[in-house]
Amino acid sequence: ENGFEAVAGLRSKLKKDASKRPGTRLLKDKFMAVEQAAATKKGREAGFKALSDFVEEAKKSGLVKQLMQKHKVDKDLTVP
């Protein structure tokens, strides 16, 4: 009775959904960030190095950015 309706999610999705729901307002600032990570089992030093090298090269070479563009999320997300 005294409640209100609210939703949280990725800003890009909420912006798209807002166009379908008149009266929707998005908060100006983000309240959290989603960080992606990669991992390997402890003790696998060669695998850890290979994974680390791959991720850094993928960012440096532009592969990550290309994939973000391909999936149309490059305007919504950033690469550190």
Side-chain angles (χ1 to χ4, degrees):
E1 179 178 318
N2 293 328
F4 60 93
E5 293 183 11
V7 64
L10 296 176
R11 183 172 295 278
S12 58
K13 174 81 166 96
L14 292 176
K15 285 169 93 173
K16 288 176 188 172
D17 291 347
S19 66
K20 301 172 195 165
R21 297 178 179 265
T24 298
R25 296 185 304 161
L26 294 176
L27 296 175
K28 179 182 173 190
D29 297 321
K30 62 185 173 190
F31 67 92
M32 70 183 244
V34 178
E35 294 185 22
Q36 298 295 315
T40 186
K41 189 174 181 178
K42 284 185 178 182
R44 296 183 174 171
E45 297 306 318
F48 180 78
K49 180 167 179 6
L51 178 60
S52 298
D53 291 347
F54 171 79
V55 169
E56 288 307 311
E57 181 59 28
K59 292 189 311 186
K60 183 178 163 186
S61 71
L63 175 61
V64 174
K65 188 71 168 172
Q66 290 170 6
L67 291 169
M68 289 170 61
Q69 290 168 338
K70 177 181 177 181
H71 296 285
K72 298 179 173 82
V73 295
D74 56 305
K75 293 179 178 45
D76 305 317
L77 307 173
T78 59
V79 181

